[in-house]
Every structure is written in structure tokens, then in C-alpha cells.
Amino acid sequence: MDLSYSAEDLAFRDEVRAYLAENLPKHMTDAVRAGGELTKEVIEEWHAILNRRGWLATIWPKEFGGPGWTPVQKHIFEEECCRAYAPRIVPFGLNMLGPVLITFGSKEQQEHYLPRILDGTDWWCQGYSEPGAGSDLASLKTKAERDGDEWVINGQKTWTTLGQHADWIFCLCRTDPDAKQQEGISFILVDMNTPGIEVRPIKLIEGGYEVNEIFFTDVRVPVGNLVGQENKGWTIAKFLLTHERTGIAGVGFSIQALEEVKSIARKTMRGGRPLIDDPLFAARIAQAEIDLEAMKITNLRMLFKAQEQGAPGPETSLLKIKGTVINQELKDLARRALGPAAAPFPGHVTEGNLMFGPPDTEHNAARYFNNRKTSIFGGSNEIQRNIVTKTMLEL
Amino acid sequence: MDFNLTEDRQMLADTLGRFLGEQYPVEHRIKVAYDAPYHDPALWDQLVELGALYALAPEDAGGMGGTGFDISVVFEALGKTLCPEPVLGALMASRLLAAAGADLEALLTGATKYAVGITEIDAPYELDQIATVATAKGDGFALSGRKSTVYGGQVADVVLVAAKHGDGLGVFAVQAADANVTGYGMMDGGGAAEVLLDDTPATLVMANAEAALEDALNAGIVALCAEAVGAMDVAHWTTVEYFKQRKQFGVPIGKFQVLQHRAVDMLTEIEQARSIVIKAAAELGGDDAAKYASMAKNMIGRAARLVAEESIQMHGGIAMTWEYAVSHYAKRLIMLDAQLGDTDYHLSQVMKGYAA
């Protein structure tokens, strides 16, 4: 066994580090450090910077404009981006639809949509979940009926992340109402400017706005917007969900979160000494750090396996379960370390107004609440356990 | 990056696995582990012949391995069969002897059985609290004190004892015949001893031995952690197999989601434990060995307890019986937490790095 990166991988890491040091603007790292929501402009600016270097579509093959990285290189890139406090890449066009089109799309679809994802012409969102179909996707009800050269779509999608910025949405729709649950579903691309689409914001637990409900009333799209075969959308959905789960251990973000907990606990005083010197609190941090240390290796083991076998396996579900739990624990510790200083609603008490508590912690409690989502989205952790039960325990 | 075992180690794992699988079926193990001398001397000889001890010692000390990965391959195989042979003492003694530049031949050929006495009742894990004292006497030394729970001490020919020597700690060789050794069987099988030293003659192996003792402890921790991973693996998969056999309300209990999810959580923790042991094995002998050994031992303590308790609970009454193997796996998994530093002790070791 050899846990170290190869010389090539280390050289690659240095290259990424140097690039980030030179090209990642300070206003972006400041915004990421502060922990609030990022604006569309900031995200698009970052996408454009990466695209100029050919590092935006990290999981696309070379012939479609990806960098052609190995799983390990992709992991190194993500870890370095986290370390540098770069904005997170919005995954819907790049990491979800892109691989779907590359695998299932027609040549025309690939030629039309892929370059527009890269250059930022189209911002995509995901139309999977419905009010009655979350992790249980197969019960979705949104209908697409064939009428001549068009699909006519009726129904409702929900939890559509950043859909308020989107130009296009990729949807799972029921195209054969008589077929069994997983049969009769198709994968269809819809222009958000089509008449009959209504986007309603959902205000989240921490007061933020990142998800939406989307209503479809007699929305007509060309038949050519179908990806892959009619009624075979389930295959695409499963393919996409496995892709969604890679990198979902969020190791880089947890490393960031651990640093933040320690930094807060060093600056916060309790009983006349820094909180980090309190054995009870330090023990909680240490326990989380040990779990994270193990997760770093678990993550590398899975990457190594993926690299050897070519595709991520059901182990990604274990990563998702444990990675999200560790990250949530760290966010919880950060919030608790602040104590009453975490109380103000973001924006109510700020520098220039009045500030208390350590700096960079204004959004801390909000982040804790927002982050409860990670064990729910991408297939809830309970659904991941069902997957592992079937695939690994064979029960 | 490469998480595959080297060919040599894979071969060692296969050979040991086959040998232990054939020679140490659980019925045999249960018998020898609870009857004096609490192991099987004939099988110990065979284990030695297979080269298991050579794999634990570095080449320049006469062995053929001695890295963290060699150690974990051997001990994971021992853990899978709950093998009670006194290999841990041999491993830790070989680290101490090698550090002192002493001859390892008698140890590696199995001619002399070694145990290591560090633990005391009031200093189960802490080197700086050791009370046993060495005083110069004639050409050699005399030791006074009590070494407690000396694993493998019930059959050791020589006990390597950590004792205060001048301002630091020394390691001394005590012939078991010269000391007051009370051997006993352990709750989880295998044997240990209380070693009473009262002006007992001893020879100095190494003065200023803190670093060597630390290294021996780290190696022992990697070994125990790997043993636990092997034992957890068996307990978990035995439980999953049982899910398919046992019926309740007319269906195999493995169809119940509440049990499925608990089994997945066990698997997740075992994979995490395996990861941190790989990390600790990789760091053994390096500057951060103690930190990662502590991380591993802490996580093993938590994961092993989860797997032990959940395996019993999900089996129901059957795992409460002496006859059923899972009960013995559970006992080993619980009891090894107290060996060489428990979960809380090692957590406190990790916290020491946090000082503001």
C-alpha cells in the first residue's frame, strides 16, 4: 500500500495551487469565507475563469471539452479549491446534464448544448423532485403527452436549486401512464422561457432563497428535446444519481469546517480561558477530527477503486452517509462554539453597525440550519442505506 | 496512491488465513482460549514456522517485514479467527529489542517467548506514571513494583519490563522464573499475568527507552486495531448471514428495514475503522505515529463496541450463548478497548495537539 500521491499527482497539485493563487479573485474568497449566499454574477465569473483554463467541466472527457482528469486528479482539484475558498461549481449543467448528454444524447444535442454549458450561455436546473416524489423518485407524476411534434407537459417540480437563475431545466416526466412505476418515464429538456412555466421561490429554514417550486401548465416543447429513448428515462436518472454522489463525501468542505471550528474555539473565551482548552469541547472536536481523518482515507480508497474499475460503485452511498454526518457535526460544533454570539439573524448585526463574537461568523447559525439538507438531498441517507442493503449486504 | 496489498503481503495474508481457518476453527479456539495455558503450544510452534513472527520484525533486525502494513496483515488474520496465541508480546518485544540493537533470533524462532510489562494498576496507559523502580545491584539491576495484565505473561520465558531508571525509563529483561508470576485466563480468552517484582534480578536492555517504548506501544496499537478490523468483519457478516436464515412473522428478519439500516451503519463504521488503521499503519515509525495510532485506537474503541453490541442485539438470544461464535467475537471486541489505551485516553491524546 502507498497512501501518498504519485509524483505526477503532486506536480498536478502544485499546478492547481499556483493557478488558484493567481486567478482566484479576493472578492470571491472573501464572499466564500463569510459564508453567505453567492450571487449569480460571482458564480458565473468563477465559471468563466475556470473555463478559460479548460478546468470547468472536470468530469467531461477531453473530446467534449473536459480536462481528461483521473478521479484522483479531480479529487485533488476539488480539495485545492476548498482549501483556497473558491466558490463551489454549480453542478446542474456541468456535473449532471453534461455527462447525461455525453452518454445518452444525440450528436445534435451534444453539439448544441455542451458548448453553451461551458461558456455560460445556459444556466441549467434540475427537475427531478416533486411534492410526492422526493427520494422516492419513481412515484413522480408530472406528465408529458405527445401532441404531433411536441410534448405537452403538465405538473409540478419542487426543490429546484437555483432555478431562479436558470435558462433551462432537465425534467423527468411520465410519458406512459399505464406502465409500471419505473417504466414510462422520459428525460426531457425544457426552455424556462416557454409559456406555461411558473417559478415560485421557497423560503428556507434559515431565511435564504435557493430552491423553488416550478409549475408546468400545458408547456409545449419540441419532441427533439427528449434525451435518449422514450420511456427509458429511469436508466438516465440512475446514471445521473450515481454521478451526483461522487465527491459527495465533501471531504474538502469538512476540512474547511474543522479549521473554522478550531479557529472559533481559539478565539471564544469560556471560564476565562479559550474554549479549545475546555476538555469537554476539545473532546467533541477531536472525535469529529478522527472521523474526518478516517473519511479522508475512506474517500481515497473509493477513488482508487473507481480508478481501477472505471466507475464509482455502491460504496459512494457509504461516503454520502458518513460524509454528510461528519460535515453536519462540524457545523454543529461551530455554531455551539459561538454560543449566544450565533444568535443574530445575518445582516442584523454587522461590522459598521455593531459586531460581537469572532469575525467571519455572521452566517454561522444559518449555515448550520441550511446544511441539514445534505443528509436529505441527492437521495436521503435513509435511501442510501436501502441501496447499500441491496447492493452490498444483498438482503 | 495504491491501496492494494503487495504480492508478498497478500501471500502472507492468504497463507495465514488458510492456516488459521484450518487449525483454529471456532470450537477449537474456544477450548484452548479458556483452558490453561490459554493458547495452543503446538499451534504456536506452527505459527512460528509459518514465519508470522519474522513478518513482524524489520530486515536489519533479522526479520522480513516490520512495517505497519506487515503488522496489520498478520493481526487482521489473527482477529478473523480470534486466535489467542501470544503474538502481541512478541511484536512489542521485537520492537524494543530491535531498538536496543539486541539479538532477536531466540524471539523470531519461537525458542524464547517474550511478553512486555508496561501497564500498572494505577498507570494502565501512561508511561510518565510508571512506578516500578530499577536499582543497580552487583553487575546488574534489581526491579521492584507490580506489572499488571501482562498479555501473554502466563507463558512468557522473558518479560521486558519498563521501569524508572535514573531520570528516565529503562527497559529491563526479567526471567519469568525469577519473578512472582501469576497467570490467568481473560474474559475474552487468551492469557495474561500479574508480575510481582520484589528486588527481582534484571538485565538492562535499554536506558532512556521512552522513544522505544512509545514505538512499541504504537506498533501494538496498530496490531490491536487490525485485529479488531478482522474480528468486526466476521461479526458483521455473520450477522448479515443470520438475517437471511432467521425468520420472524413468516419472513427473514433481513427484510426488516430497521435491521437493514443498522447493518449498513455497522458496515460504514467498519470501513471507516479500516481506513484509519491503514493511515496509522502507514505512519508507524514516522514523526506522527503516535497521533495516528491514537486516532485509530479511539475510532476502533467506538466501532468495535458498536459492532459487538449490535451483533448481539440483532441476533437475539442466540448470541448470548457460549456456544455461538458471535458471543466470543463480541467479548474480544469489547475487551480490546482496554488494551494499550482506551477510547477516552486516546481521545485526550489527540486533544493535546489543540492547545490555544
Side-chain angles (χ1 to χ4, degrees):
Chain A
M1 284 199 221
D2 180 6
L3 274 58
S4 50
Y5 290 132
S6 66
E8 293 80 28
D9 287 337
L10 286 175
F12 174 75
R13 188 181 68 183
D14 292 343
E15 186 188 351
V16 173
R17 255 182 215 178
Y19 177 80
L20 290 174
E22 200 136 303
N23 294 281
L24 176 58
K26 187 171 179 303
H27 75 89
M28 286 188 193
T29 56
D30 286 347
V32 174
R33 259 179 216 279
E37 285 169 42
L38 299 180
T39 62
K40 182 181 185 182
E41 289 67 37
V42 164
I43 294 168
E44 287 186 324
E45 187 189 344
W46 180 231
H47 281 197
I49 291 172
L50 287 175
N51 190 41
R52 275 199 292 280
R53 182 70 182 77
W55 285 359
L56 180 58
T58 59
I59 61 176
W60 296 11
K62 249 191 161 130
E63 64 265 37
F64 292 100
W69 287 340
T70 63
V72 173
Q73 285 176 313
K74 186 177 167 268
H75 167 76
I76 290 172
F77 177 73
E78 280 169 9
E79 203 169 75
E80 290 305 317
C81 284
C82 285
R83 184 196 292 265
Y85 288 87
R88 205 169 185 163
I89 290 171
V90 174
F92 305 106
L94 290 158
N95 294 349
M96 297 185 183
L97 181 64
V100 163
L101 290 177
I102 288 165
T103 311
F104 300 96
S106 67
K107 198 155 187 299
E108 294 71 35
Q109 286 171 335
Q110 291 169 350
E111 281 170 358
H112 178 72
Y113 293 111
L114 294 177
R116 295 163 63 94
I117 293 174
L118 286 181
D119 69 16
T121 309
D122 297 333
W123 180 301
W124 284 88
C125 63
Q126 182 188 37
Y128 268 31
S129 293
E130 297 183 8
S135 293
D136 171 24
L137 256 188
S139 359
L140 62 88
K141 291 197 168 57
T142 295
K143 269 192 307 191
E145 290 168 297
R146 188 77 182 260
D147 181 22
D149 287 344
E150 290 176 323
W151 295 105
V152 184
I153 302 176
N154 281 283
Q156 180 193 347
K157 294 289 175 184
T158 191
W159 311 130
T160 312
T161 304
L162 302 180
Q164 67 266 42
H165 303 320
D167 307 295
W168 284 77
I169 181 169
F170 53 90
C171 290
L172 287 177
C173 301
R174 196 161 287 289
T175 38
D176 180 358
D178 301 323
K180 277 194 305 183
Q181 265 212 331
Q182 274 119 337
E183 310 290 321
I185 292 172
S186 298
F187 190 98
I188 298 173
L189 312 177
V190 182
D191 184 339
M192 291 289 280
N193 289 315
T194 319
I197 293 182
E198 190 200 342
V199 179
R200 283 188 210 161
I202 301 174
K203 189 171 183 174
L204 286 183
I205 184 167
E206 85 286 9
Y209 170 30
E210 63 181 12
V211 293
N212 306 269
E213 294 179 289
I214 302 194
F215 296 85
F216 296 81
T217 311
D218 293 328
V219 174
R220 304 183 80 89
V221 306
V223 286
N225 287 19
L226 172 80
V227 178
Q229 284 175 276
E230 188 174 338
N231 297 329
K232 296 290 178 206
W234 190 249
T235 315
I236 300 180
K238 276 195 303 187
F239 167 87
L240 193 151
L241 286 172
T242 314
H243 267 276
E244 190 178 356
R245 280 195 293 270
T246 54
I248 208 154
V251 167
F253 295 101
S254 286
I255 293 172
Q256 225 179 54
L258 175 68
E259 286 314 307
E260 187 178 332
V261 176
K262 286 183 179 172
S263 149
I264 293 172
R266 285 194 186 103
K267 292 175 202 153
T268 308
M269 298 299 282
R270 293 283 184 276
R273 61 182 178 180
L275 178 60
I276 199 145
D277 290 345
D278 168 18
L280 274 181
F281 198 80
R284 291 191 177 111
I285 299 179
Q287 191 117 312
E289 177 164 3
I290 293 167
D291 287 343
L292 175 57
E293 203 57 45
M295 174 50 66
K296 286 184 196 168
I297 304 291
T298 307
N299 193 41
L300 291 177
R301 282 171 55 209
M302 309 278 174
L303 273 174
F304 175 71
K305 205 172 161 197
Q307 192 145 301
E308 293 243 299
Q309 299 179 356
E315 294 89 353
T316 53
S317 292
L318 295 184
L319 289 181
K320 203 251 165 175
I321 296 169
K322 197 67 198 179
T324 51
V325 168
I326 291 170
N327 192 266
Q328 289 178 337
E329 171 69 9
L330 288 165
K331 292 274 198 290
D332 178 59
L333 287 173
R335 178 189 58 76
R336 280 157 53 186
L338 281 172
F345 200 87
H348 284 214
V349 186
T350 58
E351 259 168 308
N353 165 351
L354 184 70
M355 181 79 183
F356 63 97
D360 293 344
T361 52
E362 186 195 350
H363 294 276
N364 202 285
R367 282 290 108 195
Y368 159 79
F369 285 111
N370 182 281
N371 214 46
R372 305 310 302 170
K373 71 190 175 189
T374 59
S375 49
I376 300 169
F377 69 22
S380 72
N381 284 12
E382 286 69 29
I383 291 294
Q384 305 302 331
R385 287 183 176 91
N386 289 351
I387 293 171
V388 176
T389 297
K390 281 210 185 76
T391 53
M392 297 178 77
L393 303 183
E394 297 179 357
L395 288 171
Chain B
M1 194 171 69
D2 184 354
F3 284 97
N4 290 323
L5 285 176
T6 58
E7 235 171 87
D8 287 356
R9 291 198 190 103
Q10 188 60 54
M11 220 156 72
L12 177 67
D14 294 345
T15 311
L16 267 181
R18 213 172 316 116
F19 170 75
L20 293 168
E22 283 164 11
Q23 303 299 321
Y24 258 106
V26 72
E27 305 77 30
H28 181 72
R29 184 272 169 191
I30 294 172
K31 197 162 142 294
V32 299
Y34 291 97
D35 272 334
Y38 310 106
H39 79 116
D40 184 336
L43 287 179
W44 164 263
D45 290 342
Q46 290 185 46
L47 201 58
V48 172
E49 265 172 48
L50 276 180
L53 302 185
Y54 281 91
L56 303 177
E59 278 177 41
D60 52 15
M64 295 186 300
T67 69
F69 295 123
D70 296 309
I71 294 167
S72 47
V73 162
V74 170
F75 277 82
E76 189 172 340
L78 297 172
K80 280 189 176 171
T81 48
L82 295 181
C83 178
E85 298 305 317
V87 187
L88 182 69
L91 165 69
M92 293 176 67
S94 73
R95 305 289 286 197
L96 291 173
L97 293 176
D103 186 11
L104 261 67
E105 202 192 336
L107 185 153
L108 295 176
T109 58
T112 305
K113 284 200 191 81
Y114 281 85
V116 172
I118 297 174
T119 297
E120 298 176 5
I121 286 285
D122 292 329
Y125 317 126
E126 311 92 324
L127 289 179
D128 59 351
Q129 298 298 312
I130 283 175
T132 300
V133 194
T135 44
K137 194 170 186 183
D139 290 345
F141 287 85
L143 302 187
S144 289
R146 174 176 175 176
K147 289 296 173 180
S148 201
T149 337
V150 176
Y151 299 101
Q154 86 284 9
V155 291
D157 304 302
V158 177
V159 183
L160 296 185
V161 173
K164 287 207 283 200
H165 174 243
D167 291 336
L169 284 177
V171 171
F172 299 84
V174 173
Q175 300 300 314
D178 292 338
N180 180 354
V181 177
T182 308
Y184 49 85
M186 292 189 288
M187 182 67 215
D188 50 326
E194 298 298 292
V195 179
L196 298 177
L197 303 161
D198 181 12
D199 216 18
T200 306
T203 51
L204 179 68
V205 174
M206 190 182 194
N208 303 317
E210 283 84 357
L213 285 163
E214 185 97 30
D215 171 69
L217 285 169
N218 292 337
I221 287 168
V222 167
L224 286 173
C225 290
E227 182 185 342
V229 168
M232 284 195 283
D233 231 4
V234 175
H236 167 72
W237 288 108
T238 307
T239 305
V240 171
E241 276 312 301
Y242 185 72
F243 277 14
K244 297 174 185 170
Q245 321 292 330
R246 171 82 164 99
K247 287 189 174 173
Q248 260 185 355
F249 311 110
V251 292
I253 59 172
K255 293 291 169 206
F256 299 130
Q257 196 177 52
V258 67
L259 296 188
Q260 294 172 348
H261 285 195
R262 284 162 65 176
V264 172
D265 289 345
M266 277 212 285
L267 181 64
T268 308
E269 294 308 318
I270 294 170
E271 289 310 318
Q272 282 280 88
R274 198 186 300 281
S275 291
I276 200 81
V277 178
I278 290 172
K279 178 71 175 169
E283 298 285 341
L284 184 67
D287 293 345
D288 290 327
K291 172 183 162 186
Y292 289 103
S294 283
M295 285 188 160
K297 195 66 174 39
N298 167 272
M299 170 159 284
I300 286 292
R302 290 185 278 140
R305 182 178 161 203
L306 176 88
V307 171
E309 293 178 353
E310 286 288 80
S311 297
I312 295 178
Q313 179 67 23
M314 292 196 280
H315 268 89
I318 183 82
M320 293 296 295
T321 66
W322 187 270
E323 192 191 342
Y324 195 69
V326 164
S327 63
H328 297 280
Y329 280 90
K331 280 189 291 183
R332 182 72 193 115
L333 286 171
I334 293 291
M335 298 305 286
L336 67 71
D337 182 44
Q339 279 184 263
L340 310 187
D342 65 12
T343 299
D344 291 334
Y345 172 75
H346 283 294
L347 193 65
S348 71
Q349 295 301 104
V350 175
M351 287 155 53
K352 280 185 183 167
Y354 289 170

